[in-house]
Amino acid sequence: MGGRVQAAPRFPGGPSPDPAGSHHERRIRSFQPRRSRVTTSQGDALRRLWPKWGLDIDGLRPLNLAELFGDEQGARPDMPVVLEIGFGMGEATAQMAAADPDTGILAVDVHTPGQGNLLGLAERAGLDNVRVANGDAIILLREMLPPESLDGLRVYFPDPWPKARHHKRRLIQPEFLTLAAPSLKPGAVLHCATDWEPYAEQMLEVLTAHPDFENTRPDGGYAPRPAFRPRTRFEGQGLDKGHVVHDLLFRRAPGATAPAQS
């Protein structure tokens, strides 16, 4: 049998079209593949900045987050790191990074224009606490992140998959929570936001039922939008349509399931 042919990168030295290839089983995905036009400035940012601030999720090696977020002085072992799954064009990510420069943001997406846009935003704002990861966040969590290495996890406006037959594709499900919990430090917050009411109800249900997470709200409900989460363009479009945005903030329970030993 012939081996799988790896597609050539659209931008030499930039993100790979399929970094994990066929190395790993994919029972669930964190994304829906899509291709869009990359502008000249986005392409320039990918060529210049990817070797410095980008990484492919290949699932072949564990990540050292202290080295990943290192600067000219070397590794930064004391920098807290938050994982953001799905950042769109990166405007909100860049705003949060600028407002909290002492926290590293590992931002994951497969949308090439958004990757280039976020890299450009980070450069123009002089940010050194953003790293852009290309590929499937499921493989990142399962294969590459050390236990209890994350100080937070953000999932803002994931695909709601509104048709009933597609609900199984939604990201926030018990299987995903079980996968994500070991990478979070005890007390680390999983922050979800959605403007799709049925998905918000599902998120609240599965998070409340999961033994590794506990609601930060004493009333067990939704949380007000935290000041640190900027209102995004996508969110504004939803609000203009009359949608209600729900934020959910759950922390990893202190007695959560211990990471499995290999």
Side-chain angles (χ1 to χ4, degrees):
M1 295 178 62
R4 180 173 177 172
V5 177
Q6 182 79 356
R10 296 173 69 186
F11 303 93
S16 168
D18 186 11
S22 58
H23 302 309
H24 298 284
E25 177 189 3
R26 301 183 185 184
R27 290 187 295 272
I28 54 176
R29 280 180 180 265
S30 64
F31 66 91
Q32 176 70 5
R34 57 192 172 127
R35 292 176 70 90
S36 302
R37 180 179 176 272
V38 176
T39 66
T40 300
S41 61
Q42 292 163 359
D44 176 66
L46 287 167
R47 293 184 184 92
R48 293 188 300 101
L49 301 174
W50 190 262
K52 178 181 179 183
W53 288 337
L55 69 122
D56 281 322
I57 300 173
D58 57 17
L60 299 179
R61 67 197 189 285
L63 284 180
N64 184 318
L65 295 180
E67 293 180 358
L68 180 66
F69 284 88
D71 55 19
E72 289 80 3
Q73 284 70 48
R76 292 189 279 188
D78 297 326
M79 172 173 273
V81 176
V82 172
L83 174 64
E84 182 177 0
I85 299 178
F87 56 80
M89 296 305 292
E91 294 98 336
T93 305
Q95 290 180 52
M96 290 186 289
D100 187 10
D102 294 326
T103 294
I105 300 180
L106 178 55
V108 180
D109 210 307
V110 295
H111 187 47
T112 311
Q115 294 168 349
N117 200 61
L118 177 53
L119 289 170
L121 290 170
E123 181 183 49
R124 290 191 292 275
L127 306 175
D128 67 351
N129 59 329
V130 175
R131 300 295 182 267
V132 180
N134 168 56
D136 193 343
I138 300 302
I139 293 175
L140 176 70
L141 286 164
R142 194 176 65 210
E143 309 289 347
M144 300 180 68
L145 286 176
E148 299 184 357
S149 58
L150 296 176
D151 293 82
L153 173 58
R154 298 168 180 166
V155 185
Y156 298 156
F157 304 99
D159 195 325
W161 293 105
K163 295 181 179 179
R165 67 177 183 272
H166 292 156
H167 286 181
K168 62 185 178 182
R169 301 183 184 181
R170 289 175 172 173
L171 181 62
I172 305 302
Q173 301 192 61
E175 182 181 3
F176 171 76
L177 299 178
T178 299
L179 174 68
S183 296
L184 294 168
K185 296 176 182 177
V189 171
L190 166 58
H191 182 190
C192 302
T194 181
D195 67 332
W196 193 258
E197 186 82 24
Y199 197 6
E201 293 171 354
Q202 176 187 323
M203 288 179 177
L204 184 59
E205 179 181 353
V206 300
L207 278 161
T208 300
H210 201 284
D212 288 347
F213 292 91
E214 56 187 22
N215 201 333
T216 63
R217 293 284 298 173
D219 62 5
Y222 302 110
R225 180 178 68 85
F228 66 79
R229 183 177 73 75
R231 175 172 161 172
T232 66
R233 181 170 50 185
F234 178 85
E235 181 178 358
Q237 292 171 352
L239 293 171
D240 290 343
K241 296 175 183 176
H243 296 184
V244 177
V245 175
H246 290 292
D247 284 79
L248 302 93
L249 283 84
F250 279 70
R251 67 172 61 90
R252 187 190 174 199
T257 305
Q261 298 297 318
S262 58

